[in-house]
């Protein structure tokens, strides 16, 4: 165990700290409290120039072109969070790594530079009404007609489809092949004729998700990433990146400190919530869980920095991280009691209603990107070696 | 930044685990439990040969001079095999108390004998955490009177360390005039706790603990970390047994581990337990490396492992169905070990309240 960073990394941390101090006046506001907000393009460009965004994307595709160094990336994330300055984004943390790994030279040149600068935004066309956890059963068809694919079908749960410039999309191109081998991965603009986006109002009152309908949508056959029928494997490279992005232990720690602050200021019957033993006990339970996940994250980070697979400590991050965040939001609402149900700019609303918003949104995160139950199947099967559920005859 | 065990630490844990698996299989545990022994001779002497009794004792006093993290790795191995042998009181808390508050002469006198496995120490500090019954020890001159309960490793002890009502620590001979030691039967038959009655007993104070609660606190912190590590090892074993059973037991023409109901119970146990390992490493590491965080992290490790251990003990028993409830399978030895670890040196609610006080929240 060595919790100290070596001199090289300490010096790097100093550089990051100095950069933030010198340039924070150029950052667009503070760190977003709600995900999905856009970061100013000039800020993003400045960060790329200094290696604080798109750090490992090769320079020829508009990135900073550094060697991958997971500890440096971690230090950057830590310092921006500590300074409460908007960090850079990766363009799209699912698409960019996928293109770097599997895209053609032309695709990389065309899509990566504007994406990492934030000039081209993406949405993900995976889930369908009948294909959620069993994503590989998806039925949106793309048939070849001359130099085009012609797409017909429907996607759902498409985040940001209303504002995105482009979609990366899974479609069935080989209907006679086994389900995992009949899928292709396509990229196309959202203003292509025949695409109809309908917002899906969610329980928070926002419309983050959409339904997307395709009626004879023609895109060139060169829109494909990988070969025909290989889309499932291309997509899995992407899903791996998405799972890594959820359940950030630093976000959990920040949220925990917000609860501590809430308990030190909010009162009931004139008594600080922190002075109530029952609430305090619940707080301490959450603190232990939060710290466990933080240290688990450090353990995973050490494995990653050596290029090793972390195994079980990694497999549990999405399940446990999302659950922890949700439990913290639940506690904050209980701390507020009747005030905790206020919403929508009501008088007496605390913290802008963020806790109710998080409590609902986190449930969405527990479900999205592989439900908790799918996560448990993966932990059971891949980490513990338990057998898969037998296939049901005729299904 | 290396958040991991070193190669040496892994080798240490492996060699202790291999020794215990060979010398202390369940049949041996059962035999000891049925004969009422909590001090299996060949295990004690084997651990002596491995240097385990001197693990936290400096080399100058005959020990191997390792840190509490290594002691916790040993405790994890002991919990994993539910080993009936004194450890938490005798091999960790006692030497730490003597190191923290003893004179050079006391260190020279006791520590080499602990390291050599020649003496067993019992440690009684429960009344300083949460008094029950009419516990409590008072000091008059250099003589002690009163009652210490739940004295760890106290049944097999030659020497005892007890705390008086001010928190000062004293060494007494277990067979000195005025000392009456009785075994308290607990659910866990692999470890011994004693009730010690003192009637005007001649005691030898550890001078560094007079008017200074530091030595008492660091002794309790070390004990909490050891019990947490023991619980981690025992819980891991219950998880491993559950997974093995779920892969083997067949019902409805399939192994039960292929049912999501059972698979998810196993996944839940693994998902809860794995972060505990990182918590344990961090907490044991800061005990030595970052003293400012030591007390808080010992509380968190103790309380959180207690909660996760309890959940695993019941879930694992359920995964085993009716077999889990039998004596035949022996799963209950781990179940009970976890139950013991949970209550000793502070049940979770008390320990969490202490963690709140440490952070200035009370």
């Amino acid at each position: 165990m060595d919790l100290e960073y070596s001199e090289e990394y300490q010096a790097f941390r100093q550089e990051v700290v100095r950069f933030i101090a010198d340039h924070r006046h150029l950052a667009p506001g503070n760190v977003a409290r709600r995900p999905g907000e856009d970061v100013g393009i000039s800020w993003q460009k400045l960060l790329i120039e200094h290696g604080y965004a798109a750090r490992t994307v090769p320079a020829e595709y508009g990135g900073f072109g550094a060697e991958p160094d997971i500890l440096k990336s971690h230090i950057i994330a830590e310092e921006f969070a500590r300074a409460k300055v908007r960090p850079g984004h990766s363009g799209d943390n699912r698409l960019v790594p996928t293109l770097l790994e599997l895209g053609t030279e032309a695709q990389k040149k065309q899509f990566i530079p504007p994406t990492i600068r934030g000039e081209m935004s993406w949405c993900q066309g995976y889930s369908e009404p009948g294909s959620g956890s069993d994503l590989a059963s998806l039925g949106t068809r793309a048939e070849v007609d001359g130099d085009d694919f012609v797409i017909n079908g429907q996607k759902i749960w498409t985040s940001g489809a209303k504002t995105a410039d482009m979609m990366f999309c899974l479609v069935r191109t080989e209907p006679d092949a086994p389900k995992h081998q009949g899928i292709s991965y396509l990229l196309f603009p959202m203003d292509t004729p025949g695409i109809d986006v309908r917002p899906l109002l969610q329980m928070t009152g926002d419309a983050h998700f959409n339904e997307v309908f395709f009626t004879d949508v023609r895109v060139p056959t060169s829109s494909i990433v990988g070969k025909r029928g290989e889309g499932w494997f291309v997509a899995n490279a992407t899903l791996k990146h998405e799972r890594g992005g959820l359940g950030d232990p630093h976000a959990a720690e920040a949220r925990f400190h917000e609860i501590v602050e809430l308990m030190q200021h909010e009162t009931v019957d004139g008594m600080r919530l922190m002075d109530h033993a029952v609430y305090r006990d619940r707080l301490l339970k959450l603190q232990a869980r939060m710290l466990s996940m933080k240290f688990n994250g450090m353990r995973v980070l050490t494995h990653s920095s050596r290029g090793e697979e972390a195994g079980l400590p990694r497999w549990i991050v999405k399940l446990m991280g999302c659950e922890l965040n949700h439990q913290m939001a639940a506690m904050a609402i209980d701390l507020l009691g009747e005030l905790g149900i206020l919403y929508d700019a009501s008088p007496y609303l605390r913290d802008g209603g963020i806790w109710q918003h998080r409590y609902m949104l986190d449930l969405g995160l527990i479900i999205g990107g592989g439900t908790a139950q799918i996560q448990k199947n993966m932990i059971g099967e891949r980490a513990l070696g338990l057998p898969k559920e037998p296939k049901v005859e005729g299904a | 930044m290396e958040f991991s065990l070193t190669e040496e630490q892994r080798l240490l844990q492996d060699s202790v685990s291999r020794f215990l698996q060979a010398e202390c299989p369940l049949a041996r545990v059962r035999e000891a439990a049925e004969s009422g022994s909590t001090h299996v001779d060949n295990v004690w002497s084997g651990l002596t040969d491995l240097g385990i009794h001197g693990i936290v004792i400096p080399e100058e006093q005959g020990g191997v001079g390792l840190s509490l993290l290594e002691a916790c790795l040993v405790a994890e191995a002991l919990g994993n095999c539910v080993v009936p042998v004194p450890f938490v009181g005798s091999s960790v808390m006692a030497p730490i108390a003597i190191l923290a508050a003893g004179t050079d002469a006391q260190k020279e006198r006791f520590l080499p004998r602990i390291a050599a496995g020649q003496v067993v120490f019992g440690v009684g500090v429960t009344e300083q955490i949460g008094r029950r019954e009419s516990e409590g020890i008072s000091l008059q001159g250099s003589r002690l009177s009163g009652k210490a309960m739940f004295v760890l490793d106290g049944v097999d002890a030659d020497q005892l360390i007890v705390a008086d009502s001010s928190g000062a620590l004293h060494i007494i001979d277990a067979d000195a005039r005025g000392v009456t030691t009785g075994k308290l039967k607990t659910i866990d038959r692999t470890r011994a706790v004693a009730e010690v009655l003192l009637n005007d007993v001649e005691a030898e104070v550890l001078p560094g603990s007079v008017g200074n609660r530091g030595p008492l606190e660091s002794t309790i912190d070390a004990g909490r970390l050891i019990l947490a590590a023991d619980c981690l090892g025992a819980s891991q074993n219950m998880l491993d047994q559950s997974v093995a059973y779920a892969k083997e037991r067949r019902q409805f023409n399939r192994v039960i581990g292929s049912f999501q109901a059972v698979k998810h119970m196993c996944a839940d146990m693994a998902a809860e337990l794995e972060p505990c390992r990182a918590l344990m490493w961090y907490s044991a590491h800061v005990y030595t490396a970052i003293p400012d965080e030591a007390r808080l992290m010992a509380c968190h490790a103790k309380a959180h492992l207690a909660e996760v251990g309890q959940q695993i003990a019941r879930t694992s028993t359920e995964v085993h169905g009716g077999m889990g409830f039998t004596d035949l399978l022996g799963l209950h030895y781990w179940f009970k070990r976890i139950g013991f670890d949970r209550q000793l040196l502070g049940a979770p609610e008390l320990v969490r309240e202490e963690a709140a006080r440490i952070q200035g929240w009370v």
Side-chain angles (χ1 to χ4, degrees):
Chain A
M1 295 283 288
D2 180 3
L3 305 177
E4 297 289 316
Y5 284 89
S6 70
E7 262 175 45
E8 180 197 349
Y9 290 107
Q10 288 184 24
F12 181 75
R13 188 183 292 278
Q14 285 315 308
E15 269 172 46
V16 180
V17 169
R18 242 191 333 269
F19 171 85
I20 294 172
D22 292 349
H23 297 87
R24 61 181 306 151
H25 60 285
L26 300 172
N30 275 353
V31 177
R33 300 198 80 170
R34 293 188 185 192
E37 291 179 8
D38 212 353
V39 180
I41 289 172
S42 62
W43 180 240
Q44 175 74 5
K45 280 182 184 165
L46 185 70
L47 295 184
I48 294 174
E49 225 171 87
H50 287 81
Y52 301 138
R55 181 174 172 77
T56 59
V57 175
E60 55 186 312
Y61 308 126
F64 181 70
E67 283 296 303
D69 183 330
I70 200 106
L71 290 180
K72 286 189 176 168
S73 302
H74 187 74
I75 288 169
I76 295 168
E78 266 184 350
E79 291 307 327
F80 277 80
R82 197 195 313 274
K84 293 194 164 59
V85 168
R86 185 89 60 94
H89 60 82
S90 54
D92 188 298
N93 65 359
R94 304 151 302 183
L95 177 80
V96 172
T98 304
L99 279 184
L100 283 172
E101 204 172 312
L102 299 163
T104 64
E105 192 55 31
Q107 286 168 335
K108 291 181 200 178
K109 286 239 158 75
Q110 184 185 353
F111 296 121
I112 295 177
T115 301
I116 60 178
R117 286 196 299 267
E119 294 161 1
M120 179 184 276
S121 60
W122 293 80
C123 59
Q124 169 182 287
Y126 283 9
S127 296
E128 296 182 6
S131 303
S133 292
D134 181 14
L135 181 61
S137 70
L138 60 89
T140 294
R141 296 273 294 265
E143 287 164 340
V144 176
D145 180 26
D147 291 336
D148 291 338
F149 284 115
V150 180
I151 307 170
N152 280 286
Q154 186 199 342
K155 295 289 173 183
I156 194 169
W157 309 122
T158 316
S159 308
K162 212 62 188 163
T163 53
D165 303 306
M166 298 284 295
M167 174 181 272
F168 53 99
C169 185
L170 291 179
V171 293
R172 188 159 300 282
T173 48
E174 337 295 307
D176 300 327
K179 66 178 181 181
H180 292 90
Q181 288 154 35
I183 296 170
S184 296
Y185 187 105
L186 306 182
L187 313 175
F188 47 81
M190 286 301 284
D191 60 4
T192 310
I195 299 179
D196 179 19
V197 179
R198 298 181 203 163
L200 201 56
L201 199 62
Q202 68 210 43
M203 64 192 294
T204 55
D206 304 332
H208 184 60
F209 303 110
N210 301 274
E211 293 178 287
V212 182
F213 296 86
F214 303 95
T215 311
D216 295 329
V217 175
R218 299 187 80 92
V219 305
T221 49
S222 61
S223 311
I224 195 166
V225 179
K227 296 202 176 71
R228 272 179 62 170
E230 286 182 356
W232 182 253
F233 307 98
V234 178
N236 267 322
T238 309
L239 267 184
K240 183 175 72 190
H241 298 296
E242 180 181 20
R243 284 193 187 113
L246 298 169
D248 171 15
H250 285 290
E253 191 168 12
R255 186 175 291 196
F256 177 80
H257 290 298
E258 288 176 42
I259 296 178
V260 171
E261 206 161 295
L262 178 68
M263 287 180 67
Q264 284 169 333
H265 294 110
E266 198 67 48
T267 60
V268 61
D269 293 330
M271 186 170 161
R272 289 189 324 153
L273 290 166
M274 190 60 97
D275 297 329
H276 282 267
V278 176
Y279 289 128
R280 206 159 57 220
D281 190 61
R282 190 166 160 189
L283 176 76
L284 268 292
K285 278 187 181 174
L286 280 176
Q287 188 177 31
R289 301 189 83 84
M290 181 276 286
L291 290 171
S292 303
M293 289 310 293
K294 175 181 171 179
F295 303 139
N296 186 71
M298 290 163 75
R299 188 178 169 202
V300 172
L301 183 67
T302 295
H303 280 291
S304 308
S305 70
R306 296 179 186 151
E308 299 165 0
E309 278 293 325
L312 190 53
R314 183 82 177 75
W315 282 114
I316 60 156
V317 167
K318 200 260 173 182
L319 177 69
M320 299 300 281
C322 291
E323 183 62 32
L324 172 63
N325 282 337
H326 191 237
Q327 284 180 17
M328 286 197 280
M331 177 170 182
I333 292 170
D334 288 348
L335 286 166
L336 292 169
E338 294 90 337
L339 296 172
I341 65 164
L342 298 175
Y343 204 52
D344 267 348
S346 160
Y348 312 110
L349 188 68
R350 298 296 198 268
D351 297 322
I354 191 75
W355 294 109
Q356 279 292 354
H357 189 266
R358 283 174 175 167
Y359 180 71
M360 291 185 274
L361 193 69
D362 287 344
L363 192 51
L365 293 176
I366 287 171
I367 296 164
T371 65
Q373 289 65 40
I374 292 289
Q375 300 294 326
K376 289 179 190 181
N377 281 349
M378 292 196 308
I379 293 166
E381 290 162 17
R382 300 193 200 175
L384 302 178
L386 293 166
K388 279 183 178 295
E389 193 102 356
K391 298 267 185 276
V392 178
E393 298 261 339
Chain B
M1 217 280 297
E2 292 280 321
F3 196 97
S4 62
L5 299 179
T6 62
E7 192 58 32
E8 291 79 12
Q9 287 164 339
R10 268 194 295 270
L11 286 173
L12 169 75
Q13 195 173 36
D14 284 353
S15 65
V16 174
S17 294
R18 266 200 311 277
F19 165 74
L20 294 173
Q21 280 155 13
E23 288 298 312
C24 198
L26 182 58
R28 201 74 220 275
V29 173
R30 198 186 286 278
E31 198 181 287
E34 282 165 5
S35 70
S37 164
T38 47
H39 187 300
V40 178
D41 288 341
N42 66 317
V43 175
W44 178 265
S45 59
L47 290 175
T48 307
D49 296 341
L50 288 167
I52 297 309
H53 304 307
I55 193 154
V56 296
I57 296 173
E59 289 177 45
E60 307 85 84
Q61 276 111 14
V64 289
L66 295 174
S67 73
L68 202 75
L69 178 54
E70 281 88 359
C72 285
L73 297 175
V74 172
E76 189 185 337
L78 292 168
N80 197 281
C81 293
V82 288
V83 179
V85 80
F87 185 68
V88 56
S90 191
S91 304
V92 180
M93 294 174 76
I96 279 178
I98 295 168
L99 281 165
T103 62
D104 288 347
Q106 285 170 327
K107 290 176 195 170
E108 284 307 320
R109 191 144 54 93
F110 293 111
L111 297 178
R113 291 169 60 215
I114 295 176
Q118 292 163 353
V119 59
V120 174
F121 262 88
V123 177
V125 292
T126 301
E127 358 2 292
Q128 291 295 319
I129 296 166
R131 282 180 61 207
R132 307 274 173 173
E133 300 290 326
S134 55
E135 290 173 281
I137 291 169
S138 58
L139 176 70
Q140 283 186 321
S142 66
R143 305 183 80 83
L144 295 173
S145 294
K147 178 159 79 165
M149 283 173 73
F150 303 102
V151 177
L152 293 162
D153 298 332
V155 176
D156 307 297
D158 309 296
Q159 304 276 337
L160 301 166
I161 291 181
V162 294
D164 70 26
S165 54
S166 77
L169 297 162
H170 305 264
I171 297 182
I172 54 182
D173 282 336
D175 55 6
R177 185 193 295 268
V179 178
T180 314
T181 301
K183 178 173 182 166
L184 293 173
K185 286 190 179 173
T186 73
I187 49 153
D188 176 17
R189 291 199 283 171
T190 65
R191 281 171 301 176
V193 291
E195 171 184 34
V196 175
L197 297 170
L198 303 176
N199 184 9
D200 196 32
V201 174
E202 182 62 35
E204 185 180 329
V205 72
L206 294 173
S209 64
V210 177
N212 170 17
R213 288 181 69 84
L216 172 69
E217 284 168 355
S218 64
T219 302
I220 292 171
D221 294 344
R224 285 177 172 164
L225 290 165
I226 293 295
L227 292 178
D230 190 274
C231 180
L232 173 64
S235 301
Q236 183 68 55
N237 191 296
M238 289 194 90
L239 166 61
D240 293 344
Q241 288 194 62
S242 304
V243 171
Y245 188 77
K247 285 178 185 174
E248 170 196 300
R249 166 76 175 166
R250 297 183 70 86
Q251 286 288 277
F252 305 101
N253 294 319
R254 47 196 271 211
V255 294
I256 61 169
S258 66
F259 290 104
Q260 286 190 334
V262 175
K263 185 181 293 171
H264 287 191
M265 287 165 96
C266 293
D268 281 332
M269 287 190 273
E272 288 287 348
L273 190 60
E274 201 54 33
C276 291
R277 195 172 301 284
L279 177 68
M280 196 66 239
W281 292 352
Y282 184 89
S283 305
H285 175 71
V286 298
Y287 180 85
T288 316
I290 312 177
D292 283 353
E293 291 186 36
R295 291 192 61 212
L296 175 63
M297 291 315 303
C299 289
H300 272 315
K302 174 72 170 66
H304 189 59
L305 258 305
E307 301 293 12
V308 172
Q310 183 182 64
Q311 190 63 33
I312 288 177
R314 74 153 281 183
T315 308
S316 170
T317 305
E318 281 187 84
V319 167
H320 285 82
M323 283 304 291
F325 194 65
T326 64
D327 176 59
L328 182 69
L329 191 70
L331 193 68
H332 65 91
Y333 283 103
W334 284 269
F335 184 100
K336 293 167 182 173
R337 185 111 174 176
I338 290 168
F340 179 104
D341 290 334
R342 181 180 172 94
Q343 304 302 341
L344 271 288
L345 300 179
E349 284 77 8
L350 291 181
V351 175
R352 280 194 292 269
E353 187 66 351
E354 200 172 320
R357 277 198 298 275
I358 291 166
Q359 295 176 92
W361 292 343
V362 182

